[in-house]
Amino acid sequence: MSGEAEPGFVIQPAPRPVLPVTGTDRLFPVHRVYCVGRNYAAHAVEMGHDPARSPPFFFQKNPDNLNLTGAFPYPAASRDVHHEIELVVALGTGGRDIAVADAPACVHGYAVGLDMTRRDLQAEAKELGRPWATAKAFEASAPCSPLVPVSRSGMLDAGAIWLDVNGERRQTGDINQMIWKIPEMIACLSGFFTLMPGDVIFTGTPSGVGPVARGDRLDGHIDGVGDLAVTVV
Ligand code: MN
């Protein structure tokens, strides 16, 4: 037992995950990180699925997987780590069974994120019918830009999203190609979980996912939100 812990705790509490907010020196405290799978038809197809028969679905990362450092450490236990550029939606309010019409008011802001994925472990999990935790929810697996509040960006329902690797365009799409639009995904998610202020949602990736290697430079962009630059180390 350590004598160093904060009073009232048997061990030192972990730091609270936060996102910086553009235009302010205040921070957005992160509660949970939800992710949407196969939310762009072209990406579902490239992964071997028929989007007409297999709708999007949810999985999670850990809040402390958010990575604001600009560096992505190539993780252990994989030889095939992929980039997935995604719009991140941050919730300022939550609730249960939120109506689609009420969902836009829950959005506090947006960020540019990368859902880094151990594709080999994900393929094995799919094959064996196992969870995706080791493929998705590992350390530093969610590089993320600062949050842009809706007060600056306006509500987003369209806009280019792309990712360059070492200056070469790899992923391109438009937010308007999402199968579940942002209000629909908030409404649907709130039927499974009690959404809370501080929850963030990675909203799925357009097509063009592929492997990264140490030394790669990833440059992501979403119109109306901004840029995210990450080096694989
Ligand atoms: Mn993803």
Side-chain angles (χ1 to χ4, degrees):
M1 164 166 180
S2 164
E4 306 292 318
E6 199 175 307
F9 293 93
V10 295
I11 57 170
Q12 186 62 24
R16 180 202 295 272
V18 296
L19 292 173
V21 181
T22 301
T24 171
D25 57 3
R26 295 189 298 162
L27 300 168
F28 180 88
V30 177
H31 177 245
R32 290 183 185 163
V33 177
Y34 297 102
C35 304
V36 181
R38 291 177 213 151
N39 200 28
Y40 290 76
H43 172 63
V45 169
E46 77 178 345
M47 297 302 292
H49 303 280
D50 176 357
R53 295 197 309 165
S54 166
F57 55 89
F58 298 107
F59 60 93
Q60 282 175 270
K61 291 187 182 240
N62 300 297
D64 67 351
N65 295 154
L66 287 167
N67 170 2
L68 303 163
T69 65
F72 172 73
Y74 200 97
S78 178
R79 300 175 65 88
D80 191 27
V81 177
H82 279 206
H83 53 75
E84 297 190 358
I85 188 73
E86 308 202 0
L87 174 67
V88 178
V89 176
L91 302 188
T93 60
R96 293 175 59 184
D97 298 322
I98 298 166
V100 172
D102 296 332
C106 296
V107 178
H108 180 82
Y110 306 98
V112 183
L114 278 163
D115 167 17
M116 300 303 291
T117 301
R118 286 166 163 150
R119 194 71 76 204
D120 44 2
L121 297 193
Q122 185 193 34
E124 184 181 78
K126 288 178 182 175
E127 174 79 22
L128 298 173
R130 289 179 180 165
W132 287 6
T134 59
K136 291 290 194 178
F138 56 92
E139 274 61 54
S141 63
C144 195
S145 76
L147 202 61
V148 177
V150 165
S151 56
R152 289 172 77 102
S153 65
M155 296 301 296
L156 284 186
D157 54 14
I161 176 171
W162 51 255
L163 181 79
D164 289 353
V165 179
N166 302 325
E168 190 174 310
R169 187 67 38 99
R170 294 285 179 80
Q171 291 193 255
T172 57
D174 194 293
I175 298 307
N176 68 11
Q177 296 165 336
M178 286 183 185
I179 295 170
W180 281 348
K181 309 304 181 195
I182 293 165
E184 293 166 348
M185 85 179 59
I186 293 169
C188 184
L189 195 54
S190 76
F192 293 103
F193 302 99
T194 300
L195 297 180
M196 295 289 288
D199 287 344
V200 303
I201 308 170
F202 279 63
T203 58
T205 196
S207 61
V209 299
V212 300
R214 285 196 177 87
D216 282 351
R217 157 93 183 207
L218 312 181
D219 285 291
H221 171 87
I222 300 173
D223 283 356
V225 183
D227 300 295
L228 172 65
V230 174
T231 302
V232 182
V233 298

